[in-house]
């Protein structure tokens, strides 16, 4: 084995990297276990504990030290289906965006074009702006779009002479901008919500944003938070020198109350501080306060307690100060009045919400936090003091006056933001900036506030006329892009609506974790035992490779920041079965070489060499399926695809290199190496089944089964899952078993239409799906459907129940998912067919593969149609089924490729060229029969375990793969290889099958 030293070095490096990545998960779990023990069920205390640990070092590796937050960012996170929580898809309303950009015209054709585009978007993959342009031209072919969009607000981009294509380009740009700023707004709101490890991402090529919120239980609050309109405002600010006396008064009041331990207001508390211009702070008092703050970090707990008692506010909030020339602390000019660690902001908020403290803070002062910490290293938030400009306490200017804002560069090449206002805004902006810059020795800031959070507070240098401004500072390019998006958020709002939603209760998540762990452990044990029983000592070598493979998969998933979902666990379990595929191919070849009389050393070398083409071909075809699933899938399906692709790569590496190194080491130690037990040594050796002679019988069997499948598909159809047809699904847990028909009857009456009710794992769990108000995705519609559901369930005579999970899918989303599934299936078949054509260079091989794949897919579809409602679990046509079917396609072609490789090898042997093609093909099938069956058996074993122990959520998924692998094995032996003969005969009845290459390509 050449390059053994380099391979060993690479193995060590990869192992250390995986161990490093996985270790963060153990560290965070340890901290969270301590938090749970400390809180004893109190979620607020648990969150406070974790917040307090955010910046505390919890992991020291010598060369690097990590805080809990650092470790949390690097851990292998669990998906919602494993830990519970809420998953929503927000859709930006491009219809309302276009209406606002056009000034809400009353033109009938314009509005009808928008409605038509909406309807078409439900059934089309074409982006919305293009659909609107096409519909408008149909209704108003002689009207220019510029006549609607050439407004004062759009003057920088559109004029009366702009072409329709230019207008549509402008609308696309504005659409992308609306999605970007909605993303930023939602991201900030979620950060403020306090969810651990949230996930928010734009779905490329769409106007949708996917949001995952683990552990969330207050769904109504989340919906309200995410769907609220963005509120952008410009606020005048106070100077730090003006506000410090107020904060000092608050601090003293809190201290007095802490000492007396009574809520009765003290003398200090009865004073109402009025903020006036020119108010300063006594430097001696400031020194005492800041000194007290330094005492607050003393190691002695008594000192800490005393500091917290004497200076409750300043113990956790550092005033905005600097050290002057006299080495004394001085108040820093500006709008920032204090700094607070992110973990302590909740406590400061509690102080400020106190009724007594609220009586101290005057109505003309508004305190607001900065949007994010100062830096990744400095996790403090800044506290700003805002000054209302109206008698009713409102901001100086609303964000709706912004005409445009964009990231730019100044004359020195530094990032800045340029901002343009409309006529009304320019007039007010001139007045505000004139007032802020009136005193050359005390220039004020204007705070840019979105959703009551300060994004920036630039200092005004001069009066700004004309409405054109530039905002500069210590910006990175990303900062200016974010700020520009924020500024544009106040104008032309494009509402974000929830069009897809899934809620998973923590109990269901825990059940999924238990099922996933059980199936993983049992599946691993089954594979390990089988390999030892069948391959003796070589089986132990394969088992080491399997264990290392699982370790590598987990490490790589952690290193790339992947989220582990239940389908992801299924992917790992499936990979356990397929991890030994390559070893089986190698071991079967080694056994063949041994039967030829070669030594064990030579047999191992030749076995690895000759099995390599089959290994690569079979794994590459499956990897192609993984790529297609990743491109067209979303959420859990993309997670499954990621795990599958990683598993294929690591399986190849471990089975080819690690097992080979172990064999080399055993040979050096002169250990006895066996690749079989007595009972398995001659399994299927010398098999001579007449597959080719009887092929027409098998064709007839397949044709009959396909005919039955097609009849059922076109008559009975499928039970479409909610993600394919839209609607709402609920999983309900009852305190006792309930009558299925009674529940269905009650719900049909409540909804006024047929309702799908099925058991979900046990008689106490039901899955209920309704299409009631399927086209409505508003909160009102959600509430009405839930009320109807409760109305029907309440008729069960007082049986207690709990809704443990729910899912909502809008019709547009459902259509997109269905379309993506169709594309994924088509591209998978085409991709595999092209690979086979390129690899074997004969169209007969490619077409035979395509026929075999179609055979498996149609029968699998037929089984899901025929047996739906007959089996004790749901056979829904959904994303999981498509993922399973494509996986089956990938693994079906594995066995086919093994036969094709052996056929190509036999055809390359000169002595075989005089034999009848039927005999050569039959020999190829028989000689590979043992490896075809064994490779399938390993996958069948683990999928059977997954089917039994994997839980109800993925039962249909594992069932589809289990049946599909059986079908794939059948079609590889009885359909694909025989079809090569028949297709070749049709090409030239009098010619024999010729080899694809003159070289011998060992299989």
């Amino acid at each position: 084995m050449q390059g053994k030293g380099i391979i060993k070095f690479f193995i060590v490096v990869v192992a250390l990297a995986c161990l490093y990545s996985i270790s963060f998960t153990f560290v965070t779990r340890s901290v969270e276990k301590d938090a749970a023990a400390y809180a004893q069920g109190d979620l607020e205390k648990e969150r406070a504990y974790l917040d307090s640990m955010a910046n505390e070092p919890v992991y020291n590796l010598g060369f690097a030290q990590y805080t809990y937050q650092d470790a949390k960012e690097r851990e292998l996170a669990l998906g919602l289906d494993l830990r519970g929580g809420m998953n929503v898809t927000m859709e930006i309303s491009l219809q309302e965006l276009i209406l606002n950009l056009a000034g809400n015209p009353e033109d009938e054709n314009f509005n009808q074009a928008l409605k038509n585009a909406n309807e078409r978007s439900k059934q089309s993959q074409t982006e919305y702006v293009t659909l609107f342009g096409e519909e408008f031209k149909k209704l108003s072919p002689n009207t220019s779009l510029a006549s609607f969009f050439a407004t004062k607000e759009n003057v920088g981009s559109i004029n009366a002479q702009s072409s329709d294509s230019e207008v549509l380009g402008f609308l696309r740009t504005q659409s992308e901008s609306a999605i970007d700023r909605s993303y930023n707004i939602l991201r900030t709101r979620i950060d403020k919500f306090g969810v651990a490890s949230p996930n928010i991402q734009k779905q490329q090529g769409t106007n949708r944003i996917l949001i995952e919120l683990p552990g969330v239980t207050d769904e109504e609050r989340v919906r309200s938070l995410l769907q609220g309109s963005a509120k952008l405002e410009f606020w005048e600010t106070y100077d730090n020198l003006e506000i410090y006396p107020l904060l000092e008064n608050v601090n003293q009041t809190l201290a007095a109350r802490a000492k007396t331990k009574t809520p009765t207001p003290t003398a200090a508390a009865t004073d109402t501080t009025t903020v006036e211009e020119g108010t300063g702070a006594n430097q001696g008092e400031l020194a005492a306060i800041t000194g007290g703050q330094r005492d607050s970090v003393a190691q002695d707990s008594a000192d800490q307690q005393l500091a917290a008692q004497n200076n409750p506010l300043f113990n956790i909030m550092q005033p905005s100060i600097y050290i002057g020339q006299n080495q004394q602390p001085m108040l820093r000019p500006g709008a920032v009045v204090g700094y607070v660690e992110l973990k302590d902001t909740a406590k400061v908020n509690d102080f400020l919400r106190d009724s007594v403290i609220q009586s101290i803070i005057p109505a003309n002062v508004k305190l607001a936090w900065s949007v994010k910490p100062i830096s990744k290293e400095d996790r403090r938030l800044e506290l700003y003091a805002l000054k209302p400009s109206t008698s009713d306490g409102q901001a100086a200017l609303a964000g709706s006056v912004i005409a445009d804002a964009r990231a730019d560069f100044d004359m020195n090449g530094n990032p800045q933001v340029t901002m343009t206002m409309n006529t009304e805004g320019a007039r007010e902006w001139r007045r505000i900036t004139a007032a802020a810059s009136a005193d050359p020795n005390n220039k004020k800031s204007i705070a840019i506030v979105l959703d009551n959070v300060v994004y920036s507070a630039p200092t005004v240098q001069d009066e700004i006329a004309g409405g054109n401004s530039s905002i500069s500072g210590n910006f990175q390019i990303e900062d200016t892009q974010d700020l520009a998006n924020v500024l544009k958020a106040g104008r032309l709002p494009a509402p974000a609506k929830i069009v897809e939603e899934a809620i998973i209760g923590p109990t269901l998540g825990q059940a999924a974790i238990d099922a996933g762990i059980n199936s993983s452990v049992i599946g691993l044990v089954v594979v390990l035992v089988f390999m030892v029983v069948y391959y003796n000592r070589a089986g132990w070598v394969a088992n080491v490779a399997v264990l290392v493979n699982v370790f590598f998969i987990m490490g790589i998933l952690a290193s790339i920041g992947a989220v582990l979902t239940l389908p992801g666990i299924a992917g790992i379990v499936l990979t356990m079965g397929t991890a030994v595929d390559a070893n089986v191919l190698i071991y079967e070849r080694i056994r063949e070489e041994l039967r030829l009389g070669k030594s064990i050393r030579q047999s191992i070398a030749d076995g690895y060499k000759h099995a390599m083409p089959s290994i690569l071909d079979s794994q590459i075809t499956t990897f192609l399926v993984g790529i297609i699933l990743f491109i067209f899938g979303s959420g859990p399906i993309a997670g499954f695809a990621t795990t599958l692709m990683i598993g294929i790569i690591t399986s190849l590496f471990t089975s080819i290199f690690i097992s080979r190194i172990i064999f080399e080491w055993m040979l050096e130690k002169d250990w006895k190496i066996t690749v079989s037990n007595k009972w398995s040594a001659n399994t299927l050796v010398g098999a001579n089944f007449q597959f080719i002679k009887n092929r027409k019988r098998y064709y007839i069997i397949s044709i009959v089964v396909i005919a039955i499948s097609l009849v059922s598909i076109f008559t009975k159809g499928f039970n479409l899952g909610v993600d394919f047809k839209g609607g709402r699904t609920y999983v309900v847990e009852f305190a006792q078993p309930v009558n299925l028909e009674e529940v269905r009857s009650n719900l049909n009456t409540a909804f006024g239409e047929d309702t799908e009710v099925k058991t979900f794992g046990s008689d106490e769990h039901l899955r209920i799906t309704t299409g009631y108000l399927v086209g409505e995705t508003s909160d009102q519609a959600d509430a009405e459907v839930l009320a109807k559901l409760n109305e029907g369930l309440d008729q069960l005579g007082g049986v207690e129940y709990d809704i443990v999970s729910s899912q909502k899918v809008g019709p547009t989303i459902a259509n997109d998912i269905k379309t993506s599934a169709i594309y994924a299936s088509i591209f998978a078949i085409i991709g595999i067919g092209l690979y086979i054509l390129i690899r074997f260079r004969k169209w007969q091989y490619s077409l035979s593969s395509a026929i075999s794949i179609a055979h498996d897919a149609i029968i699998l579809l037929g089984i899901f149609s025929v047996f739906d409602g007959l089996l004790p679990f749901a056979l829904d046509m959904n994303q999981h089924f498509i993922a399973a079917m494509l996986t089956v396609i990938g693994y079906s072609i594995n066995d086919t490729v093994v036969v094709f490789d052996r056929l190509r090898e036999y055809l390359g042997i000169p002595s075989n060229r005089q034999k009848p093609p039927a005999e050569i093909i039959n020999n190829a099938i028989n000689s590979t029969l043992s490896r075809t069956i064994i490779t399938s058996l390993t996958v069948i074993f683990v999928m059977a375990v997954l089917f039994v122990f994997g839980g109800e959520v993925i039962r249909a998924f594992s069932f589809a793969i289990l049946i599909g692998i059986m079908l794939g094995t059948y079609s590889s032996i009885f359909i694909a290889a025989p079809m090569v003969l028949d297709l070749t005969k049709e090409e030239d009845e009098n010619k024999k099958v010729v080899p694809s290459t003159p070289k011998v390509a060992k299989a």
Side-chain angles (χ1 to χ4, degrees), residues 2-188:
Q2 296 179 345
K4 186 162 57 176
I6 296 176
I7 294 172
K8 287 181 177 179
F9 174 77
F10 184 72
I11 291 172
V12 171
V13 170
V14 173
L16 289 175
C18 289
L19 183 62
Y20 168 79
S21 298
I22 294 174
S23 64
F24 290 103
T25 302
F26 290 104
V27 170
T28 56
R29 295 292 185 270
S30 176
V31 174
E32 288 161 6
K33 184 178 179 181
D34 292 341
Y38 166 78
Q40 295 184 345
D42 188 330
L43 294 179
E44 289 298 326
K45 286 182 67 177
E46 185 174 342
R47 180 176 294 175
Y49 181 97
L50 294 176
D51 286 344
S52 69
M53 294 296 295
N55 295 316
E56 295 296 322
V58 295
Y59 193 24
N60 193 338
L61 290 175
F63 61 87
Q65 186 171 271
Y66 299 95
T67 65
Y68 170 69
Q69 182 173 339
D70 295 330
K72 192 69 178 174
E73 292 173 355
R74 291 169 171 81
E75 74 168 351
L76 179 59
L78 298 180
L80 296 189
D81 52 0
L82 293 178
R83 62 181 300 184
M86 190 172 183
N87 176 318
V88 300
T89 299
M90 308 291 296
E91 186 174 75
I92 313 305
S93 177
L94 298 185
Q95 178 185 5
E96 295 188 47
L97 174 69
I98 292 174
L99 276 171
N100 285 321
L101 286 168
N104 293 295
E106 297 182 0
D107 184 86
E108 184 178 343
N109 287 342
F110 185 95
N111 289 291
Q112 187 60 47
L114 285 172
K115 292 179 182 178
N116 293 349
N118 266 349
E119 290 303 314
R120 284 185 60 188
S121 67
K122 296 176 183 178
Q123 305 295 329
S124 173
Q125 293 296 296
T126 306
E127 50 93 15
Y128 186 82
V129 172
T130 299
L131 294 176
F132 164 70
E134 292 173 356
E135 291 300 318
F136 181 79
K137 273 302 159 192
K138 290 179 185 177
L139 298 171
S140 301
N142 300 318
T143 304
S144 169
L145 282 172
S147 61
F148 295 96
F149 295 96
T151 62
K152 292 181 180 179
E153 288 77 10
N154 304 331
V155 67
S157 304
I158 299 296
N159 56 51
Q161 285 72 45
S162 297
S163 66
D164 284 354
S165 61
E166 290 174 332
V167 172
L168 293 175
F170 164 72
L171 294 179
R172 291 188 186 96
T173 301
Q174 291 299 313
S175 299
E176 293 170 3
S177 176
I179 295 167
D180 287 340
R181 55 186 191 260
S182 295
Y183 171 80
N184 285 329
I185 292 166
L186 292 170
R187 182 180 60 185
T188 302

Side-chain angles (χ1 to χ4, degrees), residues 72 211 274 886:
K72 192 69 178 174
I211 301 168
T274 301
L886 293 181

Side-chain angles (χ1 to χ4, degrees), residues 7 21 24 62 152 258 262 352 395 504 581 627 707 709 749 798 800 830 860 870 872 903 916 941 1000:
I7 294 172
S21 298
F24 290 103
K152 292 181 180 179
T262 174
L352 298 178
I504 300 173
D581 275 7
I627 293 174
S709 299
T749 302
E800 294 184 2
I830 292 175
L860 187 58
L870 301 178
L903 175 58
F941 286 158
V1000 176

Side-chain angles (χ1 to χ4, degrees), residues 110 147 183 241 261 291 353 365 379 437 453 502 508 525 778 900 966:
F110 185 95
S147 61
Y183 171 80
L241 279 72
K261 294 184 179 181
R353 280 194 294 263
V365 173
R379 305 302 294 171
S437 60
V453 177
L508 199 60
V525 170
S778 64
F900 283 179
M966 297 178 184

